[in-house]
Amino acid sequence: MTVLSCPLSSLLLTVALVLADPTSSCADTSSLITLFRAYSGNASDHFYTTNVSELDNDALLGGTYTFEGEATFLWSTSQPSTIPLFRLYNQDFVDHFYTMSSDEVLEMIDQGWAYDNTPNHTAGYVYPYSICGAAPIYRLFNPESVDHFYTMNIAESQDAMKDGYQDQGIAGFAMLPSVDGSAVKDSAGPFFLPSTMTALPESQETATSSSACADNANVVPLLRAYARNGTGQDHFYTTNSSEMNAALLTTYSFEGDAAFVWSTQEASTVPLYRLFNQNVNDHFYTIDANESNEALSSGPRVQVPPDTS
Ligand SMILES: *[C@@H]1O[C@H](CO)[C@@H](O)[C@H](O)[C@H]1NC(C)=O
Ligand SMILES: *[C@@H]1O[C@H](CO)[C@@H](O)[C@H](O)[C@H]1NC(C)=O
Ligand SMILES: *[C@@H]1O[C@H](CO)[C@@H](O)[C@H](O)[C@H]1NC(C)=O
Ligand SMILES: *[C@@H]1O[C@H](CO)[C@@H](O)[C@H](O)[C@H]1NC(C)=O
Ligand SMILES: *[C@@H]1O[C@H](CO)[C@@H](O)[C@H](O)[C@H]1NC(C)=O
Ligand SMILES: *[C@@H]1O[C@H](CO)[C@@H](O)[C@H](O)[C@H]1NC(C)=O
């Protein structure tokens, strides 16, 4: 096993320290997408993708990788002031590698990494320096297990360094998934909210404009999965990534973020009740306490088709 030297970390820092033009225009925050993170202990591989179907089919299916939440928010297409974050893969070491340096791409290809099957060889687009509120994605490397690891959480990066990982500088700048930069699982609150997204008019309840608002810094992603086979055809939603991982080991496939919600009651919010009918394998969600009680007393409110497989 080749132990890789990392002569390029200084180069990466140089790239990162290039002074930003103060008049740089910013990328469109309404088109930010989630870069999901998954980990395989068996293969010692951290894997990051914006493609939910790839995440589900190539990583989570069968429990090969464990879902680890949202690593960052970035763009899937080129935006003002952004550059590509290239993605490579080394089959022998089972290592996903990400860099914004096209010179380093060529060096890594010399060392056995190859372009991965992603659009334009990219995982997404990031800022090359700290502009427009973007924060650093720290890059680390473990030469023993040959694993490249990326995190926006400085504390997590320091822990990794105690655990055999080397600091390799900054992989790019993107939007934080939580106040401290940690991957958003079940307890962290995303710092960034896609506030420019608007719901369809018909989905908006009338409310007084003076209603107090809940704290956007406390939202957590409501993760969505769908039963993989015909049984029950169940949509399942949870904010708990451990529970999601458990569901993915059964017949559910991961379908991404359904919404951002609060895990504790905040100003102007109401509980979203969750019920489950074991007989027909159906999860049911409602904000109506009466409906929730009715469903509890009268059995399944929603009749789902029986197993046809
Ligand atoms: C997403 O992943 C699926 C499954 O791996 C693949 O078929 C599809 O082409 C990918 N989409 C993009 C935009 O890369
Ligand atoms: C990890 O590797 C062991 C031994 O190869 C295998 O039995 C096990 O199924 C693997 N676990 C996962 C989650 O892939
Ligand atoms: C790929 O690159 C081409 C040429 O730069 C660009 O037009 C296209 O939008 C890119 N596609 C993606 C998915 O980034
Ligand atoms: C479909 O789901 C049911 C219930 O979880 C399970 O018993 C069955 O084995 C699954 N069938 C297939 C083909 O995965
Ligand atoms: C999250 O899910 C796991 C596994 O199902 C469970 O043990 C844990 O209690 C759950 N945590 C919360 C906060 O509900
Ligand atoms: C719930 O039921 C009570 C008693 O039947 C009724 O007074 C109340 O208006 C109902 N609430 C809703 C939100 O339907």
Side-chain angles (χ1 to χ4, degrees), residues 236-248 274 283:
F236 169 56
Y237 304 82
T238 180
T239 58
N240 181 339
S241 62
S242 307
E243 190 185 34
M244 177 55 75
N245 276 312
L248 297 178
R274 168 176 146 189
H283 286 89

Side-chain angles (χ1 to χ4, degrees), residues 40-43 62-66 249:
S40 165
N42 260 14
T64 315
Y65 286 73
T66 304
L249 288 176

Side-chain angles (χ1 to χ4, degrees), residues 18-34:
V18 169
L19 285 183
D21 175 354
T23 63
S24 309
S25 49
C26 294
D28 175 10
T29 49
S30 70
S31 52
L32 278 165
I33 55 166
T34 306

Side-chain angles (χ1 to χ4, degrees), residues 52-216:
V52 170
S53 125
E54 182 189 34
L55 176 68
D56 189 59
N57 290 312
D58 300 349
L60 302 178
L61 183 58
T64 315
Y65 286 73
T66 304
F67 178 66
E68 290 203 328
E70 317 199 308
T72 187
F73 295 96
L74 41 62
W75 292 270
S76 61
T77 55
S78 181
Q79 294 275 326
S81 308
T82 66
I83 60 168
L85 182 67
F86 298 105
R87 170 173 146 191
L88 288 87
Y89 182 62
N90 187 317
Q91 216 165 4
D92 297 332
F93 293 126
V94 189
D95 181 53
H96 286 91
F97 170 65
Y98 304 80
T99 181
M100 58 180 174
S101 159
S102 46
D103 290 342
E104 194 183 23
V105 163
L106 300 177
E107 284 204 14
M108 294 302 273
I109 286 175
D110 275 349
Q111 295 187 50
W113 274 256
Y115 282 127
D116 214 357
N117 188 24
T118 52
N120 289 1
H121 311 307
T122 62
Y125 293 80
V126 294
Y127 292 121
Y129 27 66
S130 182
I131 52 169
C132 304
I137 304 169
Y138 302 107
R139 169 175 145 189
L140 298 109
F141 177 63
N142 188 325
E144 290 292 319
S145 59
V146 189
D147 179 39
H148 285 92
F149 172 47
Y150 301 81
T151 178
M152 298 183 88
N153 184 345
I154 189 91
E156 192 180 31
S157 79
Q158 283 161 352
D159 284 348
M161 279 188 263
K162 289 177 203 144
D163 217 22
Y165 284 81
Q166 300 165 350
D167 180 8
Q168 288 200 330
I170 289 166
F173 293 82
M175 306 316 271
L176 284 171
S178 64
V179 176
D180 67 356
S182 61
V184 176
K185 291 188 269 191
D186 49 275
S187 59
F191 177 66
F192 168 78
L193 233 208
S195 55
T196 48
M197 279 184 192
T198 46
L200 293 173
E202 58 265 35
S203 70
Q204 288 172 345
E205 296 274 346
T206 351
T208 57
S209 55
S210 61
S211 303
C213 293
D215 186 353
N216 285 349

Side-chain angles (χ1 to χ4, degrees), residues 229 231 251 309:
N229 68 18
T231 314
T251 57
S309 60

